[in-house]
Amino acid sequence: NFAAQRLNMVEGQVRANDVTDIRIQSAMADIPRERFVAERLNSVAYADSCLEVAPGRHILDPRCLAKLLQLAAIKNSDHVLDVGCASGYSAAILGRLAHDVIAFEENQDLARIAAEQLHEMENVRLVEGALSGGHPQGAPYDVIFVNGALETNPDMLLGQLAQAGRLVAVIRAAGRGRAHLYVKNEGMVSSRAAFDAQVPVLPGFERVEGFVF
């Protein structure tokens, strides 16, 4: 009974973790998470864990996804870039919250699945490209949502924010992940840590090891 599992997810993983935005709760209660994973994962679609949808690629666990969405404070007038949308689950949620969403993905197989799942959402558009470069053609964005941990500074993405734009991502350092909110004001970007989160690193944002002599 996936409908019951969705409600249990919202009650036990979303509301229980101080996600009070009714719009987020409603979207996550309505959108079938099981549609965005392989059939073999249907039985764990609503588990409190990140789910692998392709080698090295995941959709975020419900708790982290919901808390990042709330941290971004998305308005129904916002233009959003969803970086690493994978099979499209995050973009489907974002499409319920924002004015329009660019679902951005570099894996062709995942992009095909996302396109199939999102085709009925008129305010969500799928774009393919290298994740680390963002999508400057659609900038500036009011919100940039990053589906995975970053081990590098997201300077390229931050440069695509609009005035008062927000970027949310999990930053991993020394093995520890912390969700961060970046805000652009008068050309300057400030950031603050918000909550602990352990999610897989998004391809293209891995830390580059330096040479040791």
Side-chain angles (χ1 to χ4, degrees), residues 40-64:
R40 63 181 174 81
L41 294 176
N42 279 177
S43 62
V44 294
Y46 295 94
D48 190 13
S49 61
C50 297
L51 299 178
E52 190 173 54
V53 291
R57 296 299 307 281
H58 302 75
I59 60 174
L60 297 179
D61 61 276
R63 168 193 173 272
C64 184

Side-chain angles (χ1 to χ4, degrees), residues 68-122:
L68 283 172
L69 290 169
Q70 182 161 274
L71 185 63
I74 299 165
K75 302 186 293 291
N76 59 13
S77 59
D78 282 342
H79 174 49
V80 177
L81 178 67
D82 184 23
V83 178
C85 73
S87 55
Y89 180 66
S90 56
I93 303 291
L94 286 163
R96 292 279 297 269
L97 306 175
H99 180 270
D100 66 281
V101 178
I102 292 179
F104 192 52
E105 181 50 56
E106 67 180 20
N107 182 301
Q108 291 185 343
D109 291 333
L110 288 176
R112 175 182 52 79
I113 295 169
E116 292 172 356
Q117 297 297 336
L118 300 169
H119 76 279
E120 293 182 354
M121 300 193 71
E122 295 182 355

Side-chain angles (χ1 to χ4, degrees), residues 10-210:
V10 171
E11 291 297 321
Q13 301 175 44
V14 177
R15 291 184 60 186
N17 282 288
D18 299 321
V19 177
T20 57
D21 190 325
I22 299 298
R23 300 173 307 145
I24 296 173
Q25 295 179 16
S26 177
M28 294 185 73
D30 289 345
I31 294 173
R33 186 172 162 93
E34 71 276 6
R35 281 177 36 194
F36 297 88
V37 300
E39 187 174 352
R40 63 181 174 81
L41 294 176
N42 279 177
S43 62
V44 294
Y46 295 94
D48 190 13
S49 61
C50 297
L51 299 178
E52 190 173 54
V53 291
R57 296 299 307 281
H58 302 75
I59 60 174
L60 297 179
D61 61 276
R63 168 193 173 272
C64 184
L65 174 65
K67 289 179 74 68
L68 283 172
L69 290 169
Q70 182 161 274
L71 185 63
I74 299 165
K75 302 186 293 291
N76 59 13
S77 59
D78 282 342
H79 174 49
V80 177
L81 178 67
D82 184 23
V83 178
C85 73
S87 55
Y89 180 66
S90 56
I93 303 291
L94 286 163
R96 292 279 297 269
L97 306 175
H99 180 270
D100 66 281
V101 178
I102 292 179
F104 192 52
E105 181 50 56
E106 67 180 20
N107 182 301
Q108 291 185 343
D109 291 333
L110 288 176
R112 175 182 52 79
I113 295 169
E116 292 172 356
Q117 297 297 336
L118 300 169
H119 76 279
E120 293 182 354
M121 300 193 71
E122 295 182 355
N123 67 332
V124 179
R125 179 167 63 95
L126 182 73
V127 174
E128 295 185 49
L131 301 182
S132 60
H135 183 58
Q137 296 90 334
Y141 302 101
D142 301 302
V143 173
I144 297 178
F145 187 91
V146 183
N147 283 278
L150 311 183
E151 294 181 324
T152 59
N153 198 312
D155 290 335
M156 187 73 73
L157 298 179
L158 292 172
Q160 296 172 28
L161 283 176
Q163 173 66 14
R166 292 89 66 205
L167 180 149
V168 290
V170 174
I171 306 300
R172 180 182 290 182
R176 182 187 184 193
R178 294 276 286 166
H180 281 65
L181 170 67
Y182 294 82
V183 181
K184 185 174 184 178
N185 279 310
E186 298 181 357
M188 303 293 291
V189 177
S190 61
S191 70
R192 68 175 176 87
F195 59 90
D196 291 335
Q198 296 299 329
V199 300
V201 175
L202 196 62
F205 295 96
E206 303 92 341
R207 181 169 60 89
V208 178
E209 300 288 347

